[in-house]
Amino acid sequence: LDQVFSMALQKQSPEIPKSGQNCCIGILVNPRAARDVRRLVTSASSTPVSERIAICHRIVRGLAALEIGQILMMPDRDNIAIKLKSAIERDRLSTSVNMPNIHILDMPVTDSGQDTLKAIQLMVKAKIGAIVVLGGDGTHRLVAHACGQTPMACISTGTNNAFPGNPEATIAGLAAGAVGRGLVTPEIVCHSNKRLCVRVNCEDTIPALVDVCITTDTQTGTRALWRSDRLRKLFLTFAEPGQVGLSSIGSLISPTTREDNNGLVIDIDPTAKEFKKLMAPIAPGLFEPVAITNYEPISINQKCVLDNSVGTLAYDGEREVTVFSGDRIEIALDRRGPRTIDMTKTIENIAYSGLLINDDSLQSRR
């Protein structure tokens, strides 16, 4: 056993920061994720506030293992950050572990997506080393738009969670801490993601991370999509098997990975004379028939121009922009999306570098 430990320690980086007290990590919790109308029309479940706090608590424990000193969080009307801060204070009374200090951002709460954008802007200004995000595809889209190249550790707590993974929160905290402190090489453990950039009448909109869909709905309404007969053209950055949501349509006809140098474009029209009907899980527990008339890959940096669409544009499963006949829509796929932390690679690097091995105790056994 000592020989195994010695081999691991020999691979350790020559210069590792001794303290993480000056390292700051962000935690972004969307308190409204998984609370849309799909709770009523599908079998989608919701994540209660108590569970969101418990997830955050485990993230903090993971960060504490690497002596992260500071955490920034967004305020919200459910007081998730305040309740977590109280739980961490109780930890300090019952454990010898140095727990991070939680700072709640000084900003107004509007209970909308603007809170997420503002919070991330403040976190980036504070030079956080990494950010852990709790939410679905829509939440991660907003964070990605504002965080620039700050690495993201993604945890699913939304409705359709094609973009974020579902790691154990303890490990997500550990991985974010390792990246944030520079204990692992970001170029090795972080991925650059694809995204779909959309311009409407020469105006840029916030890029999508998973899908952009043109629908026949004339109003954004409740925003969430669950009616397949209103879908017309679907653009996907990736379509990996095992997901629900609009990306599941692509995964069942032409699986496309995040690493592939292409996305997918699917034409849908239930009024066409000829189409192939596909049953797809477009929401949790909801299979809907999708009338597919054509599909083909879209290459990196390829631009598609549309000017005869009437309806709405949906980004990552939520309708946002109303379009009219004559509006010019430009959609392009690129690889300048957010950097996400690969949990497996990060923990593997932690193992090889011996970051969690107590070499003092090893020396005493010798």
Side-chain angles (χ1 to χ4, degrees), residues 207-270:
L209 300 180
V210 182
D211 54 74
V212 172
C213 188
I214 298 174
T215 82
T216 59
D217 291 306
T218 57
Q219 295 181 341
T220 56
T222 56
R223 300 185 63 193
L225 291 177
W226 73 90
R227 294 284 300 272
S228 64
D229 59 328
R230 299 177 181 178
L231 311 179
R232 286 300 178 266
K233 200 172 188 73
L234 175 61
F235 295 80
L236 298 169
T237 58
F238 62 88
E240 294 177 334
Q243 303 293 340
V244 298
L246 298 187
S247 70
S248 71
I249 299 171
S251 72
L252 293 171
I253 57 173
S254 182
T256 305
T257 71
R258 301 175 196 232
E259 290 74 31
D260 289 339
N261 285 320
N262 65 274
L264 200 61
V265 182
I266 304 172
D267 293 317
I268 304 169
D269 188 356

Side-chain angles (χ1 to χ4, degrees), residues 73 107 204 256 290 332:
M73 292 190 70
M107 54 174 279
D204 290 325
T256 305
V290 182

Side-chain angles (χ1 to χ4, degrees), residues 192-198 207-209 236-237 258 260-263 298-303 331-338:
S192 292
N193 290 271
K194 293 179 279 188
R195 63 179 184 173
L196 287 163
C197 298
V198 184
L209 300 180
L236 298 169
T237 58
R258 301 175 196 232
D260 289 339
N261 285 320
N262 65 274
I298 176 175
S299 303
I300 299 293
N301 297 325
Q302 179 180 344
K303 181 188 294 184
I331 301 177
L333 179 72
D334 69 29
R335 269 202 180 277
R336 294 189 289 273

Side-chain angles (χ1 to χ4, degrees), residues 10 23 47 80 97 104 112 137 151 154 174 206 225 231 234-235 238 310 330 362:
Q10 288 173 6
C23 178
T47 305
I80 292 173
V97 177
I104 302 174
S112 70
D137 295 333
C154 308
L174 182 66
I206 296 177
L225 291 177
L231 311 179
L234 175 61
F235 295 80
F238 62 88
V310 176
E330 301 173 38
L362 176 62

Side-chain angles (χ1 to χ4, degrees), residues 90-103:
R90 291 193 295 271
D91 278 355
R92 289 196 174 93
L93 300 176
S94 60
T95 179
S96 59
V97 177
N98 290 326
M99 302 300 292
N101 294 311
I102 296 179
H103 302 280

